Amino acid sequence: MTHPAAPVLTVRAVLFDMDGTLVDSTAVVEQVWLEFAERYGLDYNEILRTSHGVQAGDTVRRYAPPGADFEALTAELGEMERSRTDGVIALPGAEALLAGLPDDAIALVTSADRILADIRMQAAGLTMPSTAVTAESVTRGKPHPEGYLKAAALLGANPADVVVFEDAPAGIAAARAAGMRTVVVGDAGHLEDGMWRIPDYSAVTVTAVKDDDGGHLLTLTL
C-alpha cells in the first residue's frame, strides 16, 4: 500500500496562533469559562463553542448579562488565566519546529494579551518569537485578519508568501481572510484549497535557506 507524499510548502514567513496551536492550555481555559458561566447561569458549552481563538473581551461582551461591567469582568478573567498554569504544555514537536525556524521569519499572533502570552509560552517551555502580535496590538480581533496582516507586514512578507498554523475557527477565518495558506492543527472545520491539516508537529520538518535579499526561503514538509 502506498501512502500519499507529505505536503511541502515553500514560504518566506510562518505565523503561529498560540492556544491550541503551539500551547495546550485547554484545562485552564475551560476552567475559567466554566466559572464565568456558572456565576451568571450561562450555557457553558455554547461559550466554549464560540470563545476559542477569540479575544476574551469579545466573549464577555457577547455573553455577560446587561448592566455588567464588561471591562472589570474581562480584567478579572484575565487575572484568573494568568495565575493558572497547571497543565499548560507544548504540543508535540512545537519546540523543535520553533527552534528550526529563523526568528526573523516567524511571529506569534494570539488573542491573548502580551502578559498572558509570555506566561503561557514560558509555562510550556517555548521561546517567544521576537515578533508577537497580541490582543493589545490590534483594534479588531480574530476572525478579522488585522493581526495576521500586521504580523506579515512586520516581517516584511507578502501574505501570499506566508503560512499560518491555527486551530480555531475564528483564527482559521482570519488567516484565510488575510489571503494566507493555512495549516489546521487538530480537527477544526473543513479544508478548502490552500489548507492542510496536521495532528501536531511531530512529523513536520523545516529547512531554511538565506536568499539574496536577506530574507529566508523556508521549506516545510508536513
Side-chain angles (χ1 to χ4, degrees), residues 16-17 21-22 91-94 97 165 185 198-205:
F16 293 94
D17 172 50
T21 298
L22 289 174
L91 265 69
L97 179 58
F165 285 83
V185 183
I198 58 174
D200 54 42
Y201 305 95
S202 301
V204 179
T205 61

Side-chain angles (χ1 to χ4, degrees), residues 1-219:
M1 179 179 176
T2 59
H3 295 281
V8 178
L9 308 181
T10 301
V11 298
R12 294 186 177 276
V14 183
L15 309 181
F16 293 94
D17 172 50
M18 183 180 68
D19 290 304
T21 298
L22 289 174
V23 174
D24 183 354
S25 56
T26 304
V28 174
V29 172
E30 291 186 351
Q31 183 182 52
V32 168
W33 285 119
L34 176 61
E35 291 177 23
F36 171 75
E38 288 180 339
R39 182 187 304 181
Y40 294 106
L42 303 172
D43 186 334
Y44 167 67
N45 291 319
E46 176 66 12
I47 291 173
L48 274 194
R49 187 183 69 79
T50 59
S51 65
H52 192 43
V54 177
Q55 290 189 17
D58 291 340
T59 299
V60 169
R61 278 187 289 274
R62 180 172 181 174
Y63 290 104
D69 187 332
F70 298 146
E71 290 187 8
L73 263 178
T74 301
E76 180 186 354
L77 290 168
E79 184 55 40
M80 290 164 65
E81 289 197 295
R82 287 191 289 273
S83 64
R84 302 176 187 184
T85 56
D86 287 351
V88 174
I89 57 172
L91 265 69
E95 183 179 9
L97 179 58
L98 287 176
L101 288 164
D103 184 62
D104 59 357
I106 63 175
L108 191 75
V109 182
T110 175
S111 295
D113 63 30
R114 180 60 194 239
I115 294 173
L116 180 58
D118 283 335
I119 288 170
R120 288 215 172 127
M121 290 288 281
Q122 183 176 4
L126 298 176
T127 300
M128 175 70 80
S130 294
T131 302
V133 177
T134 55
E136 60 269 69
S137 308
V138 298
T139 57
R140 290 161 293 188
K142 301 172 185 178
H144 195 279
E146 180 184 350
Y148 281 119
L149 292 171
K150 183 170 185 175
L154 288 170
L155 296 175
N158 187 297
D161 295 326
V162 172
V163 64
V164 172
F165 285 83
E166 258 289 0
D167 76 303
I172 294 166
R176 300 297 286 163
M180 298 172 180
R181 284 171 279 178
T182 308
V183 178
V184 178
V185 183
D187 55 9
H190 67 281
L191 299 183
E192 303 168 356
D193 289 343
M195 295 175 68
W196 298 266
R197 188 187 306 280
I198 58 174
D200 54 42
Y201 305 95
S202 301
V204 179
T205 61
V206 61
T207 58
V209 178
K210 200 90 167 176
D211 62 18
D212 294 338
D213 65 5
H216 293 89
L217 208 56
L218 310 172
T219 302

